[in-house]
Amino acid sequence: MKLHGYFRSSAAYRVRIALNLKGLTAEHLPHHLRKGEQTAPDYLAINPQGLVPTLEGDGGTALTQSLAIIEWLDETHPSPPLLPADPLRRAKVRAFALAIACDVHPVQNLKVLARLRQLGLAEEKVTEWAAWINREGLAACEALIKGEQGPFCFGDRPTMADLCLVPQLANARRFGVDVSAYPRLLKAEAAAKEMKAFADAAPDKQPDAE
Amino acid sequence: MKLHGYFRSSAAYRVRIALNLKGLTAEHLPHHLRKGEQTAPDYLAINPQGLVPTLEGDGGTALTQSLAIIEWLDETHPSPPLLPADPLRRAKVRAFALAIACDVHPVQNLKVLARLRQLGLAEEKVTEWAAWINREGLAACEALIKGEQGPFCFGDRPTMADLCLVPQLANARRFGVDVSAYPRLLKAEAAAKEMKAFADAAPDKQPDAE
């Protein structure tokens, strides 16, 4: 398998964690997003959105969208599971993951922030925008798991929720968000970061890290 | 079951279609998003994001995030299926759905457009922003299914992809996007709109429609 990514892409980071947890290896093919490499025609042919990640299978299949890739990995390599067995618990885990993957990350990704700059927004206001959507989303996530013992988001092992949380907290810090407001999220992050699968997937451990 | 929604919310619209396809009925509880009813404390207690939809089960459970709700409906009421059986095909359907649910809809929802207005953007520029992200996303979706015969997005019956596409096309038209640029998407939409499950879920058929 080949994983098209970028060290700082939090969506690619989610898939790196999933691969590590499943004990799978993939060749990492970095695309420098700030240089626009993800819009090269060859890449658009496998990912028409011009986003990372894309997971290329050995049979020439190309899977896009981090959560679709993670669901596919979980269905084809069930151990260890990244979703609970009970449908209601699965829905809770997915809702948490989607609260980040839909309502936070895409509103502060490179493309959207670049568009804000094009509209004439000063850099300080652009960062404020990114910090705002991170705060909104993380506060909601904190509430979503307030009754969960943990230490992970949902129970005593990582799920798709943790795969989304850890990269998003990294983004939030880059945008200057005071994450101490979210103690339950930090508890889950601490548990995750003790695992080699999470540690090895961190942006600064990637070959293209700057 | 109770579905908390809003006639014009495209995320609630997805779940309305899913319920109809599954032959399930739910009491519809509208929240007027433009009046901010979704931020009432009682509602935030079941949906900390202050978004619609929320599906309340008979046992007092509250499920949030449209795609998590749809996955739950599909797992607990398998017929007719909203995802194919093959893992690779499931990944393709989910990726299409997520390309809309993550990368288009949240970038043009009420909250984000309101924030753009707060930054001093003129109404015309706000609409242009919404049209831009719809065009970007729909063009990618058109490419994602260009090799698919159809008539639906993936095959001869609706999947989660169509549940996301039809409401998003409605949004795109509201923002003045020329959707004739996406003939394959329009083919899928036409097939969907012939089904009562889709027609009955349309915004103008809802009790709170204006």
Side-chain angles (χ1 to χ4, degrees):
Chain A
M1 289 190 292
K2 295 174 186 172
L3 180 66
H4 298 263
Y6 177 56
F7 75 106
R8 198 179 265 164
S9 157
S10 58
Y13 188 176
R14 297 171 198 152
V15 175
R16 292 197 299 263
I17 302 167
L19 288 167
N20 291 349
L21 284 169
K22 298 288 187 185
L24 299 169
T25 53
E27 183 186 351
H28 288 259
L29 302 174
H31 297 260
H32 199 300
L33 301 193
R34 288 184 186 274
K35 291 181 184 162
E37 291 179 2
Q38 71 282 16
T39 59
D42 277 5
Y43 186 64
L44 288 179
I46 62 164
N47 187 323
Q49 290 193 274
L51 296 172
V52 294
T54 302
L55 187 69
E56 273 195 274
D58 298 325
T61 57
L63 299 183
T64 62
Q65 285 287 341
S66 62
L67 294 191
I69 295 170
I70 292 167
E71 294 266 4
W72 177 82
L73 284 169
D74 213 37
E75 289 177 354
T76 55
H77 301 81
S79 178
L82 300 176
L83 285 169
D86 174 60
L88 204 60
R89 296 288 289 168
R90 293 164 76 82
K92 293 283 183 187
V93 169
R94 285 188 176 118
F96 183 102
L98 290 162
I100 289 174
C102 293
D103 295 318
V104 183
H105 176 247
V107 184
Q108 52 97 93
N109 70 7
L110 271 180
K111 184 161 71 171
V112 165
L113 300 188
R115 188 83 179 184
L116 289 172
R117 288 185 194 101
Q118 283 171 20
L119 289 170
L121 221 62
E123 201 52 37
E124 180 194 311
K125 293 281 181 188
V126 172
T127 303
E128 207 176 282
W129 169 286
W132 157 68
I133 199 70
N134 271 277
R135 279 194 307 269
E136 291 254 322
L138 293 176
C141 285
E142 178 83 6
L144 284 170
I145 60 168
K146 70 174 186 289
E148 293 286 335
Q149 277 247 295
F152 292 93
C153 290
F154 293 89
D156 58 6
R157 59 185 179 191
T159 64
M160 185 188 286
D162 304 279
L163 271 55
C164 291
L165 174 64
V166 170
Q168 196 59 49
L169 281 171
N171 280 1
R173 288 189 184 95
R174 278 203 296 125
F175 294 122
V177 173
D178 175 11
V179 297
S180 71
Y182 319 112
R184 181 61 188 80
L185 300 183
L186 294 182
K187 177 179 170 179
E189 185 196 36
K193 288 204 160 172
E194 280 181 24
M195 297 181 75
K196 186 169 158 49
F198 281 82
D200 288 352
D204 60 2
K205 297 284 178 60
Q206 305 315 304
D208 57 328
E210 284 162 8
Chain B
M1 290 191 290
K2 294 174 189 172
L3 180 65
H4 297 264
Y6 178 55
F7 76 105
R8 196 178 268 163
S9 157
S10 59
Y13 188 176
R14 295 171 198 152
V15 175
R16 291 195 301 260
I17 301 167
L19 288 168
N20 291 349
L21 285 168
K22 298 288 188 185
L24 299 169
T25 53
E27 181 186 352
H28 288 259
L29 302 174
H31 296 261
H32 199 300
L33 301 192
R34 288 181 187 273
K35 292 182 183 161
E37 292 179 1
Q38 71 282 17
T39 60
D42 278 5
Y43 186 65
L44 289 178
I46 62 165
N47 187 324
Q49 289 193 274
L51 296 172
V52 294
T54 302
L55 187 68
E56 274 195 274
D58 298 324
T61 56
L63 300 183
T64 63
Q65 284 288 340
S66 62
L67 294 190
I69 294 170
I70 292 167
E71 295 266 4
W72 177 82
L73 284 170
D74 213 37
E75 290 177 355
T76 54
H77 302 81
S79 179
L82 300 176
L83 286 168
D86 174 60
L88 205 59
R89 296 287 290 168
R90 293 163 75 82
K92 293 284 183 186
V93 171
R94 285 188 176 118
F96 183 102
L98 290 162
I100 289 173
C102 292
D103 294 319
V104 182
H105 176 245
V107 184
Q108 50 98 90
N109 70 8
L110 271 180
K111 184 160 72 171
V112 165
L113 300 188
R115 187 83 178 184
L116 288 171
R117 288 184 194 103
Q118 281 171 22
L119 288 170
L121 221 62
E123 201 53 37
E124 179 194 310
K125 292 280 181 190
V126 172
T127 303
E128 208 177 280
W129 170 285
W132 156 69
I133 199 70
N134 271 277
R135 279 194 307 269
E136 292 255 321
L138 293 176
C141 285
E142 178 83 5
L144 284 171
I145 59 169
K146 70 173 186 289
E148 294 285 336
Q149 277 245 296
F152 292 94
C153 290
F154 293 88
D156 57 7
R157 59 185 180 191
T159 63
M160 187 189 285
D162 304 279
L163 271 56
C164 291
L165 175 64
V166 171
Q168 195 60 48
L169 281 171
N171 280 1
R173 289 189 185 97
R174 278 202 296 127
F175 294 123
V177 173
D178 175 11
V179 297
S180 71
Y182 319 112
R184 183 61 187 83
L185 300 183
L186 294 182
K187 177 180 170 178
E189 185 196 37
K193 288 203 161 172
E194 281 181 22
M195 297 181 75
K196 186 170 158 52
F198 280 81
D200 288 350
D204 60 4
K205 298 283 178 60
Q206 304 315 304
D208 58 327
E210 284 161 8

